[in-house]
Amino acid sequence: MNIEDYDYDLPENLIAQTPLKERSASRLLVLDRENKTIDDKTFTDILDYLEEGDALVINDTKVIPARLIGFKEDTGAKIEILLLKNLNGNNWEALSRPTKRLHIGSIVTFGDGLLKAKIESILEDGIVHVTLIYEGILMEVLEKLGSMPLPPYIHEQLKEQGRYQTVYAEILGSAAAPTAGLHFTEKLLKDIEEKGIEIVHITLHVGLGTFRPVEEKDIRDHKMHVEHFIVDKNAAAILNETKKRGKRIIAVGTTSVRTLETVMNKYGEFKECEEDTGIFIYPGYTFKAIDSMITNFHLPKSTLIMLVSAFAGREYIMEAYKHAVLERYRFFSFGDAMIIK
């Protein structure tokens, strides 16, 4: 379980800096776990790998403009705050930078005082708990002052903020997009439904747990950060019926995978629930909920490459990533996709 087993060489110019003009024009790497084949397709070919009666599970979380740049009220020091999770009311968990300039009671002000954040506690790894002070409706304030919290490996400015949202984004609460869903268009989703595939909505608000790097040499020592999820009664019923009929559950993105596996682990079936999950899936894990997944290409040494390695086998995944590099696929959030079946 050595972290180095999940490393790979990636030329920097293969990290996608901007989304393609057409969402579904991305490439699709098709992995067949049974036959250990690797095929190069385009994302619109996804229809060929979905069958009537299958359930396609999508994460309908919506990214909030959670990245805020402000100044410490007493010293004027520049502070960046990334809102991660609403704890209750106006209390939020956030990521701060530089944390060393903050202390309990510090006030960080944004937009000439339109929004303020009072530091209530300082935890590990730059995590802080803050109370937000503002007038009016918070999301309207964030729309004015905040920006999309793009990952640090994206250096280009995003011209259209909506391109970091899925077309089915609905429930506000994420600090990052469930990027495997960025490839779908409304037309493609309609085509999928017309083929007789159920599209099932669940929600997981993406936070630090998804993109926090693994630093421990033995990956089993890594501690996941919890994220909030919702599975409603209708989604649970459709998924249970899909299983009962012997059809497949295909998860779009690792966030959907983690949600479904959490529920199945706890209840032995799909169930209406709203809870937190800190599930960490790595090789040795036995999948109970999903039969296939659609995902993007993930960072070296990340929990996400460990998750797909658990599903398809580490050596097979590393071979696929090597192929993707040689074939010059686009990597990470705005990059290309793969389906593992």
Side-chain angles (χ1 to χ4, degrees):
M1 294 298 177
N2 193 310
I3 183 65
E4 300 301 328
D5 291 338
Y6 300 91
D7 196 10
Y8 66 92
D9 293 324
L10 179 68
E12 192 170 341
N13 61 7
L14 294 185
I15 300 174
Q17 294 296 312
T18 55
L20 296 176
K21 185 176 180 180
E22 176 63 31
R23 287 176 182 263
S24 60
S26 54
R27 297 166 75 187
L28 179 70
L29 193 68
V30 180
L31 303 189
D32 185 322
R33 291 184 294 158
E34 184 178 350
N35 298 311
K36 293 293 187 284
T37 54
I38 300 173
D39 292 314
D40 301 300
K41 301 289 182 177
T42 59
F43 196 78
T44 48
D45 293 325
I46 200 75
L47 275 167
D48 296 336
Y49 303 99
L50 305 177
E51 301 170 2
E52 184 179 353
D54 287 344
L56 185 73
V57 183
I58 57 177
N59 180 6
D60 62 9
T61 187
K62 190 171 186 178
V63 185
I64 61 176
R67 184 171 179 259
L68 296 159
I69 307 294
F71 299 91
K72 195 160 169 263
E73 210 166 56
D74 54 354
T75 65
K78 186 177 178 181
I79 302 291
E80 178 178 335
I81 295 286
L82 173 61
L83 300 176
L84 293 174
K85 183 170 68 173
N86 181 234
L87 300 173
N88 56 70
N90 289 323
N91 299 313
W92 285 74
E93 180 180 82
L95 196 60
S96 62
R97 188 173 63 177
T99 312
K100 63 183 180 182
R101 293 186 179 274
L102 300 174
H103 55 80
I104 294 173
S106 291
I107 303 289
V108 183
T109 184
F110 311 94
D112 295 324
L114 192 61
L115 175 68
K116 295 183 179 183
K118 181 182 178 184
I119 308 299
E120 303 290 357
S121 58
I122 300 173
L123 309 177
E124 296 179 345
D125 302 321
I127 299 292
V128 294
H129 287 175
V130 302
T131 297
L132 298 182
I133 303 164
Y134 59 93
E135 291 185 1
I137 299 170
L138 177 59
M139 287 305 157
E140 292 181 358
V141 174
L142 293 178
E143 289 286 350
K144 291 179 182 178
L145 302 179
S147 61
M148 285 296 177
L150 296 178
Y153 49 76
I154 293 178
H155 308 299
E156 297 283 334
Q157 273 199 327
L158 184 60
K159 294 178 181 178
E160 299 176 57
Q161 295 293 303
R163 289 306 305 272
Y164 196 58
Q165 302 276 22
T166 62
V167 296
Y168 47 77
E170 185 177 356
I171 312 298
L172 276 165
S174 265
T179 54
L182 295 178
H183 306 282
F184 289 91
T185 62
E186 290 177 359
K187 180 185 182 304
L188 183 54
L189 289 168
K190 184 180 178 182
D191 291 343
I192 288 168
E193 284 186 310
E194 288 179 351
K195 192 174 177 179
I197 293 123
E198 289 272 12
I199 296 177
V200 180
H201 290 241
I202 62 170
T203 307
L204 180 137
H205 293 315
V206 187
L208 192 62
T210 293
F211 55 83
R212 182 185 172 203
V214 178
E215 297 175 345
E216 292 79 3
K217 185 176 180 180
D218 187 330
I219 66 171
R220 291 170 295 189
D221 295 331
H222 178 71
K223 297 294 187 290
M224 291 289 285
H225 202 74
V226 299
E227 295 166 314
H228 194 67
F229 72 85
I230 305 164
V231 177
D232 67 24
K233 186 176 181 179
N234 184 57
I238 293 171
L239 292 171
N240 283 325
E241 180 61 25
T242 302
K243 280 283 191 192
K244 184 179 177 181
R245 288 188 284 104
K247 301 302 290 184
R248 297 179 306 159
I249 293 175
I250 299 140
V252 177
T254 55
T255 57
S256 296
V257 173
R258 294 176 65 243
T259 301
L260 297 177
E261 292 296 325
T262 295
V263 175
M264 189 62 83
N265 279 334
K266 184 170 181 178
Y267 299 107
E269 63 176 352
F270 296 107
K271 188 179 177 69
E272 178 184 14
C273 54
E274 181 171 353
E275 301 176 13
D276 290 338
T277 180
I279 191 172
F280 178 20
I281 297 174
Y282 54 84
Y285 177 84
T286 300
F287 285 82
K288 306 169 187 66
I290 70 160
D291 302 289
S292 179
M293 77 171 79
I294 298 165
T295 186
N296 279 16
F297 294 94
H298 306 297
L299 275 71
K301 301 182 179 181
S302 65
T303 61
L304 305 184
I305 198 169
M306 293 166 195
L307 184 153
V308 296
S309 295
F311 190 63
R314 188 190 68 83
E315 291 183 1
Y316 183 35
I317 286 294
M318 289 317 206
E319 180 187 348
Y321 271 59
K322 185 176 180 180
H323 173 91
V325 169
L326 289 173
E327 294 297 322
R328 301 194 64 75
Y329 275 68
R330 302 166 79 247
F331 277 67
F332 306 158
S333 296
F334 290 136
D336 295 315
M338 67 164 64
I339 181 168
I340 309 173
K341 61 191 191 75

